[in-house]
Structures are given as structure tokens and as C-alpha cells.
Amino acid sequence: MDVSGGSGQPRSGNDEPAEHPAGPTAPTTGTTDHPGPEPHDAPTPPPPADRDPHPDPDTGEDTPTEPPHPTTGKDAGNAGNAGDAGDTGAGEEAPAAGTRTGSGEHRTLAHSGIAKGEPPQPPAKEPGGGLLMGRPFGVPVYVAPSWFLVAALITWVFGGQLDRVLPELGAARYLVSLFFAVAFYASVLVHELAHTVAAIRFKLPVRRIQLQFFGGVSEIEKEAETPGREFVLAFVGPLLSLVLAGIFYLAMKPVEPDTVPGVLLAGLMISNLIVAAFNLLPGLPLDGGRMLRAVVWKITGKPMSGTVAAAWVGRALAISVLVGLPLLNQSGALGGGSEEISGMDTVTDALLAAILAAIIWTGAGNSLRMARLREHLPELRARTLTRRAVPVQTDTPLSEALRRANAAGARALVVVDAEGHPLSLVREAAIVGVPEHRRPWVAVSGLAQELTDGMRVSAELSGEELLDVLRATPATEYLVVEESGEIYGVLSAADVERAFVKAMARPS
């Protein structure tokens, strides 16, 4: 996922003299490196890569390419070790890959927005997440399949309550209950839109809004830059729920309480009060937890300290919900006499408490993992993850190209024209698929993937900027170039994935 400098001498990814391993390190030895397992909490996974257009020389079948995922990989700090995925530098018998060519065209490509980290057009494929309902403020809103389950549950439970309050409705009470479920989740959508509008105001990208079981979520791709903005971003959701509760309360005033409008307005007022109160609880992943995180961040000056404090409060909150919610309901503190509670009600309360506790506990853990990822993200640098490469002509036999790579201690091949301009990258997976006895008769051009603008990466990229470029153009290898336009090496998507895995495994 490095090549010679202007002098033609080997150069490592950390700008120190490269030490070549004793044995060959070309990608022909052994099998292709495979990416590590992907954690479940990817910030923003890239779209799947298209199948490689170049067929395997033996089978004739396409070799699928694997995209870089922003949640897996290897430690960038160790990437420059000999024989490791980030081995960098180059040198060979042919003209050095890093030698300046003097070509204006190549220099222009190196200085393009793509090389500097600006996502190319068109943008990556938009993620799904259920049934698309609309795009308020340009953000897609999805209804997850689990929503239909909870809507049916609300319809059944609220319908039973309506039977006691308005028995004259008969079977029509379930239609009224369904309307209440839809109106309640419309209130949840307003809550999430408040977060979205605040994020857009702070220039934070919002991936989508999803309505699902037990509420909704606004997927904001980056965290706020200051604790004050983080506090505002978290507080606006519960604030809008309180405003909605007030609006429904005022709307109840001129309405008779024992009517359908009166019951619906009362139910929506109470439900929005519950949503606001629940989200103000000071534990991640709730809004109150993000507010607590902002406060601790402000006091300590360390966002990670705020995340740790709010996450552990969230876990304590999960245990409290698991134990306390059934006890409160059984004691009658939440309404109704304790003598009216049946065995089925007790089981239902315990199940509801277990689901809520699991959601809070899992969300707190995910927040910790995401914070650890953001903390280590700047360590992922294109320069240190880049493999050294050697330039070869299009008609160079594979065996000769690999001999040059082994002699230079390189692990990648770049196909260049007669003037040294890069044309394509030889795919590691394709090299492995060619039997040794056929390599003298196979030209490297038949195993290469043509370079596109999105496959040119600046050696100065790191962290989220690097990931944005890789997500925008999924591929197995990328050409890494200097600001001046000279070739620095080849970046492998598998190396980035391994760097993520190792970074996530290290303690904060």
C-alpha cells in the first residue's frame, strides 16, 4: 500500500535508507496477503470494488478485487520493516521508479485534487438501510424493517389501552393506534433531524437517518471539533422532543380529553417527554452521554477522556435499566397498581428491560471502539504503508520483472511507457495465479490494471483523508506519488486493512 528517489537509490517509506531482507520479497513468494477480519463498527465502509477486468492467465476467470475498509488493517508504525506489508523504497537495474521524468502531464496528475486527498467525482455509492422515505436537507431517511415490528407492537399495546378509555371505538381502535405509532415515529424523525441540521450547520457530513426498533439514529461521519459544538449537537435532539411535547400539550387545551384527538395528543405529549427524558440520561450512546462527554472533554482537554467516562456511565446505566425497570414497574411507581400486574406483564417488562440494556451496553462499547479508532487514525500514513516498487516496460516478461523486484527488495511493479510515465499497476493476485514455468512467456502488461485518476494517491495523505480517497475508488493497489509528480511506490488495500486491525487492537 515506495520507490526510489531522484538519485535512483533505494528509499524507505520513512525516508531512511532501506534495508533489504536477505531473501526475495517480491509478491511471487507464497500466497497473496489477505485482509484481516472486519470489526462490526465501521465508521463509513467503502462501496464494494468492481471485479477486476483482467482475467486470470490460467483459468480465464476474473479475479475479484477487495476494497479497503476503514476498520481493518495493520499498524502503520511497523509498516516499514523489511518483509512487512509496509516495506518501502525501491531500486533496480532499470531506471529508478522515483526518478523525475520531467513530464508536465505526470506532474499535473500528481498535483490534482485526487492526489491531495479531495474525493473524486462521482461520489461513492450511497449506503442503504431499509425503505427510503425521503431526503430532507439532502440526507436520506430510511425505515428499517425492525420498525414494522415495533409499529405492530405499539398498535397492539396502545389499542388495548384505547379499549379501556374509548370502548365505543371497537375494532377501529387499532386503526387509531396505528396512526399513533406513525405519528410517534414522525416525532422521532424530528428529533433526529435536529441533530442533522446542527451537524450540517457545523459542516459535519451526515450519512443517513435511520428509523428502527426503539427509535432512530443520525449517522454523522465525523465528530465535532470542539466540546461546545459536541454539546450543542447532542442537546438539540432532546430539546426538540421537549418542544414537541409542549406543542402537543397546548393543542390538548381546547380538545375534550375523552375523544380520539384528545387521547392521541395526550399520548404524543407523554411519549415525547419520555423520549426527551430517556435521551438526557448521562451515558453513551444516548444524547445525555454525548453531553457528558463534551463536559469532561472541556474540563480535561482530552476527547478520549470524555468518551471513556461517558461510556462507563452508559454501561452502569444499562445495568440499572436491566435491574431497575422491572422493579419500578412491579412496585407501581410507573403507573397502575402492583396488584394489577400479571405474570405475563412481568415477563414483558423483563424482556423490554433486557433489550434496552443490551442496546445501551452495546452502544457504549461501540462508542469506545470508535473513539479508539479516531485516536489512532492519524497513524495511518500513505508514506509509511507504501510498498517500494520497480518500473517495468509493458513487454517485460514477468520472470524478468520479478527478478528485478527481488534484486531491489521491492514488492510491487509499475508498468511505465518509454518515457517513464506510469500506465498501470501489476496486480499481486494476478502474479500469484501464474505458474512459475509460464512466467518467462507472460508479459507484465497482461497482469496489470490500468491507472485511473482515483488510483493516484499523494504520499502526504494520512488518516481520514487517505481513507476518503480509497473509499471513493475501490481497488486492490494504488499508485503513490510525491507532490512533485515522481512515483513513490504502490499502496496495497490489504496493507491498510491490516494497519487498521493492529491500530484498533492497541489500547488508548
Side-chain angles (χ1 to χ4, degrees):
M1 272 195 162
D2 238 345
V3 321
S4 62
S7 64
Q9 297 302 316
R11 178 177 61 186
S12 66
N14 55 8
D15 293 332
E16 297 176 359
E19 297 182 6
H20 303 311
T25 56
T28 56
T29 59
T31 58
T32 307
D33 293 332
H34 297 286
E38 178 179 348
H40 297 291
D41 303 304
T44 309
D50 296 331
R51 294 182 66 86
D52 197 293
H54 304 283
D56 184 279
D58 287 332
T59 64
E61 297 177 358
D62 292 341
T63 303
T65 60
E66 299 180 18
H69 297 280
T71 54
T72 56
K74 189 169 185 178
D75 182 13
N78 298 333
N81 296 337
D84 192 52
D87 191 18
T88 54
E92 40 149 343
E93 298 172 356
T99 304
R100 297 177 186 273
T101 63
S103 166
E105 177 185 0
H106 184 66
R107 199 180 310 276
T108 301
L109 287 171
H111 284 278
S112 68
I114 295 169
K116 291 182 183 248
E118 298 174 10
Q121 300 295 329
K125 185 188 294 184
E126 183 181 276
L131 182 64
L132 179 63
M133 301 302 294
R135 298 174 183 272
F137 305 103
V139 178
V141 176
Y142 293 93
V143 174
S146 60
W147 177 85
F148 295 95
L149 176 62
V150 75
L153 181 63
I154 291 174
T155 301
W156 176 60
V157 173
F158 194 67
Q161 307 229 345
L162 280 177
D163 191 35
R164 292 195 291 270
V165 179
L166 300 171
E168 65 275 10
L169 286 177
R173 67 182 182 273
Y174 291 109
L175 186 61
V176 177
S177 298
L178 179 60
F179 178 82
F180 170 78
V182 174
F184 168 66
Y185 268 85
S187 301
V188 173
L189 176 59
V190 172
H191 176 110
E192 297 304 328
L193 284 174
H195 293 306
T196 297
V197 171
I200 294 173
R201 173 68 178 80
F202 295 144
K203 298 187 182 344
L204 301 176
V206 183
R207 185 166 178 250
R208 65 179 178 181
I209 297 173
Q210 188 182 48
L211 301 179
Q212 54 189 330
F213 197 78
F214 279 117
V217 59
S218 301
E219 296 185 9
I220 302 172
E221 295 186 351
K222 294 182 180 180
E223 68 174 17
E225 297 176 352
T226 65
R229 290 187 174 185
E230 173 77 357
F231 188 93
V232 171
L233 192 59
F235 180 63
V236 291
L239 177 63
L240 255 292
S241 293
L242 288 173
V243 169
L244 284 176
I247 292 173
F248 290 129
Y249 173 75
L250 293 176
M252 284 172 52
K253 289 297 187 180
V255 177
E256 291 292 331
D258 293 334
T259 61
V260 170
V263 171
L264 284 176
L265 290 171
L268 290 171
M269 180 197 69
I270 294 172
S271 61
N272 275 277
L273 284 174
I274 293 173
V275 168
F278 183 74
N279 275 279
L280 285 172
L281 294 175
L284 286 173
L286 303 175
D287 293 331
R290 295 182 61 189
M291 293 162 63
L292 174 62
R293 174 182 183 271
V295 171
V296 177
W297 178 3
K298 179 67 175 178
I299 294 172
T300 63
K302 299 177 181 179
M304 189 64 187
S305 298
T307 302
V308 171
W312 279 105
V313 172
R315 287 173 170 173
L317 181 63
I319 296 174
S320 301
V321 168
L322 179 64
V323 177
L325 187 61
L327 292 178
L328 284 174
N329 201 31
Q330 207 166 27
S331 66
L334 298 181
S338 57
E339 65 279 355
E340 298 177 2
I341 298 175
S342 64
M344 182 58 69
D345 291 333
T346 302
V347 172
T348 302
D349 294 339
L351 180 61
L352 177 63
I355 294 173
L356 283 174
I359 291 173
I360 297 173
W361 182 279
T362 303
N366 289 344
S367 298
L368 274 177
R369 282 189 288 273
M370 290 297 295
R372 187 183 299 123
L373 170 62
R374 289 192 178 99
E375 188 178 49
H376 293 304
L377 202 56
E379 300 172 13
L380 300 179
R381 297 182 293 273
R383 188 175 294 278
T384 55
L385 286 170
T386 298
R387 299 178 177 187
R388 68 177 63 177
V390 293
V392 293
Q393 299 284 329
T394 57
D395 57 351
T396 304
L398 178 58
S399 58
E400 170 61 16
L402 293 177
R403 186 194 66 77
R404 297 179 189 178
N406 280 333
R411 300 186 63 220
L413 301 172
V414 179
V415 179
V416 298
D417 61 16
E419 297 179 354
H421 300 160
L423 300 175
S424 55
L425 301 178
V426 179
R427 298 172 299 118
E428 184 178 11
I431 294 175
V432 174
V434 180
E436 247 184 271
H437 68 276
R438 290 190 55 193
R439 291 175 181 175
W441 318 108
V442 177
V444 292
S445 58
L447 307 174
Q449 182 175 5
E450 184 179 356
L451 278 172
T452 63
D453 286 346
M455 292 172 62
R456 297 175 186 266
V457 176
S458 170
E460 304 304 321
L461 288 181
S462 63
E464 290 194 41
E465 281 188 330
L466 174 61
L467 297 181
D468 287 342
V469 173
L470 302 192
R471 284 194 212 104
T473 309
T476 53
E477 287 95 9
Y478 300 83
L479 179 68
V480 181
V481 294
E482 293 279 17
E483 292 283 340
S484 61
E486 61 183 351
I487 300 172
Y488 188 73
V490 173
L491 181 68
S492 169
D495 294 345
V496 178
E497 295 194 41
R498 281 189 292 271
F500 265 102
V501 166
K502 194 162 186 178
M504 289 290 288
R506 288 202 310 275
S508 301

